[in-house]
Amino acid sequence: MALAGCGSLVPGGSGGAAPASPGQTARAPARPAVPVASVQQSLAPRPGDASCLADLGASGARFDPLPDTYAAPGCNKLGTVQLMALAGDRAPLSVANLGPVQCQVAKAFGDWARFGVDRAARQILGSPVARIETMGSYACRNVAGTERLSAHARAEAIDVSGFVLADGRRIVLKRDWNGGDAATREFLRVVHRSACKRFGTVLGPEYNAAHEDHFHLEGTGAKFCR
């Protein structure tokens, strides 16, 4: 795709090369180098992107669409958005430390935040959620301990580490999954089960030690919940 994109680019500028003087050999003007990211950002959006962006907007989320980029083999940000806020039942929910997210994953995240997290917090803890804290989304890296690229390398995963309630309480997975009071532990397990209904892969503190401090929320396809 990148090679095809290169073929369609024409360097800008209103002037041309100066004519060669007698006895001189005319040389083609130097073509400026085009960064790889710029080439890829010029590619046309995929047909499904507009529909997803419309659905995400209709959900009440605030976001900016981002240009497509390729960072390295297997690492890309295609059809991604930058989320600023998500809709709750009564007030917007802010999101901390979140980078580019693939649109379908962002839509699933927004639905989970409203219908799974915010409502569970009000019902179990007596306060709505004000902020969801994350450990990021896009990262060009492998799955820990393997040579297989992570879904983070395609901006298709979000790591959630905690929640801040409107009444000021802060719930942190690493501390509260097993160490919180009964209501807090119940809340975390309810939102974990809710995530399993909306995302393809959900990994939490009971999966392995690498996930003791966060929920890994990935994709929207085949289900794997631990």
Side-chain angles (χ1 to χ4, degrees):
M1 293 177 63
L3 290 176
C6 288
S8 65
L9 287 175
V10 179
S14 58
S21 301
Q24 289 184 324
T25 301
R27 296 183 179 180
R31 174 173 293 207
V34 180
V36 172
S38 297
V39 173
Q40 288 144 352
Q41 288 171 4
S42 70
L43 299 177
R46 287 159 307 285
D49 290 349
S51 175
C52 181
L53 293 174
D55 290 343
L56 186 59
S59 74
R62 290 197 298 109
F63 63 92
D64 285 329
L66 298 174
D68 290 347
T69 60
Y70 293 78
C75 293
N76 58 66
K77 291 171 277 185
L78 304 180
T80 60
V81 299
Q82 179 66 57
L83 288 169
M84 275 81 77
L86 303 169
D89 278 343
R90 300 178 182 177
L93 312 178
S94 66
V95 184
N97 196 39
L98 189 63
V101 180
Q102 195 272 334
C103 183
Q104 293 290 349
V105 177
K107 178 63 168 57
F109 186 60
D111 291 343
W112 173 71
R114 179 174 185 175
F115 303 116
V117 177
D118 192 36
R119 292 185 180 180
R122 286 191 284 110
Q123 293 170 6
I124 298 171
L125 301 175
S127 173
V129 170
R131 183 171 73 249
I132 297 178
E133 298 183 333
T134 83
M135 300 168 71
S137 49
Y138 173 77
C140 184
R141 62 175 175 81
N142 291 339
V143 175
T146 76
E147 296 184 357
R148 178 168 55 89
L149 278 172
S150 167
H152 288 286
R154 302 180 301 277
E156 293 177 355
I158 300 170
D159 289 341
V160 173
S161 58
F163 308 89
V164 177
L165 306 185
D167 65 9
R169 280 179 287 172
R170 183 167 178 259
I171 298 169
V172 180
L173 264 76
K174 185 171 184 178
R175 179 190 65 207
D176 295 324
W177 180 261
N178 291 315
D181 60 31
T184 299
R185 295 196 306 273
E186 180 186 359
F187 165 75
L188 289 174
R189 281 156 179 78
V190 166
V191 299
H192 177 267
R193 291 195 297 270
S194 177
C196 292
K197 298 176 182 178
R198 299 184 182 279
F199 296 92
T201 297
V202 176
L203 307 176
E206 293 184 0
Y207 178 61
N208 62 16
H211 294 83
E212 67 176 354
D213 58 355
H214 68 278
F215 294 142
H216 172 87
L217 312 177
E218 173 185 331
T220 57
K223 303 296 183 182
F224 183 83
C225 177
R226 293 291 186 275

